[in-house]
């Protein structure tokens, strides 16, 4: 079984920054796509950012220019650097990894942006 473990969530003031980490139990180069999703109370889970095995990235319009997804293959870890955080970024953030025939989710980490 593949395990994804998120960390780095917490409470931050508007305008602040957080870096989320997603540590995989296996080599992340085996996954075609890894990404971050989030789910706010009363809303559907939405895609935030993805990174492919080739290094290409895509972002939701709402986070472009503020969030950066990256990976460290040696550490089998994917990161989400979140800057200029807004209250509307408050959500549970989930790591996702996909490869042929498989799709995995982490347990989620809470991000709360509030004064």
């Amino acid at each position: 079984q593949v395990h994804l473990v998120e960390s780095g969530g917490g409470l931050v003031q508007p305008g602040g920054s957080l870096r989320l980490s997603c540590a995989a139990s296996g080599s992340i180069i085996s996954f075609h796509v890894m990404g971050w999703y989030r789910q706010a109370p009363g809303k559907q889970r939405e895609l935030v950012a993805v990174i492919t095995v080739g290094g290409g990235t895509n972002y939701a319009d709402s986070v472009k220019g503020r969030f950066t997804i990256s990976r460290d293959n040696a550490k089998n870890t994917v990161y989400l650097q979140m800057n200029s955080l807004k209250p509307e970024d408050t959500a549970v953030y989930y790591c996702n990894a996909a490869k042929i025939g498989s799709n995995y989710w982490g347990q989620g980490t809470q991000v709360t942006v509030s004064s």
Side-chain angles (χ1 to χ4, degrees), residues 10-16 18 82 84-91 93 110-115:
L11 175 65
V12 65
Q13 292 184 325
L18 287 172
M82 305 185 294
S84 302
L85 283 161
K86 304 174 181 180
E88 49 264 46
D89 295 318
T90 296
Y93 284 71
Q110 176 71 49
V111 172
T112 302
V113 185
S114 177
S115 298

Side-chain angles (χ1 to χ4, degrees), residues 14-34:
S17 298
L18 287 172
R19 188 178 74 160
L20 306 183
S21 298
C22 173
S25 60
S27 175
I28 62 172
I29 64 173
S30 68
F31 297 102
H32 177 64
V33 178
M34 296 194 70

Side-chain angles (χ1 to χ4, degrees), residues 10-93:
L11 175 65
V12 65
Q13 292 184 325
S17 298
L18 287 172
R19 188 178 74 160
L20 306 183
S21 298
C22 173
S25 60
S27 175
I28 62 172
I29 64 173
S30 68
F31 297 102
H32 177 64
V33 178
M34 296 194 70
W36 289 94
Y37 291 70
R38 67 186 182 188
Q39 187 166 20
K43 300 180 69 176
Q44 295 190 60
R45 189 173 298 185
E46 64 176 350
L47 189 148
V48 176
V50 296
I51 186 166
T52 69
V53 68
T57 59
N58 279 297
Y59 298 90
D61 288 342
S62 60
V63 306
K64 285 181 179 177
R66 300 188 297 120
F67 291 11
T68 303
I69 188 169
S70 62
R71 69 187 186 201
D72 187 331
N73 293 337
K75 295 182 178 179
N76 294 323
T77 301
V78 173
Y79 303 96
L80 184 68
Q81 178 67 46
M82 305 185 294
N83 299 324
S84 302
L85 283 161
K86 304 174 181 180
E88 49 264 46
D89 295 318
T90 296
V92 177
Y93 284 71

